[in-house]
Amino acid sequence: MRAIAVLVILCALLSAFSHEARADGTWCARYPEGASNCGFYSFAQCQATVSGRGGFCEQNAMAAPRQRRR
């Protein structure tokens, strides 16, 4: 039981300090009824979501710019 608790805490800490962690998506899906969803990290993800439903994808102007790894 103690090992499970330690593993859960370790995973939580690692995910909290991930360099790739972002709260906002890079792409937004805009739907015909006026709704939007800005939780997509790739254009392909966004396109798959609006496919068959209508709408379009655009870059999220409010997304924080990604920093390049060195």
Side-chain angles (χ1 to χ4, degrees):
M1 188 70 156
R2 181 179 277 181
I4 293 173
V6 170
L7 183 62
V8 169
I9 291 170
L10 180 62
C11 289
L13 286 173
L14 288 174
S15 66
F17 294 107
S18 172
H19 293 286
E20 295 296 319
R22 295 180 58 195
D24 54 353
T26 305
W27 293 92
C28 295
R30 306 284 183 202
Y31 303 108
E33 62 272 2
S36 65
N37 179 357
C38 292
F40 303 101
Y41 296 101
S42 73
F43 182 71
Q45 259 185 334
C46 183
Q47 284 289 308
T49 302
V50 299
S51 171
R53 181 175 178 189
F56 61 95
C57 296
E58 65 183 6
Q59 285 189 316
N60 184 357
M62 303 303 287
R66 280 195 140 171
Q67 299 208 357
R68 292 186 164 199
R69 287 185 164 181
R70 295 183 182 184

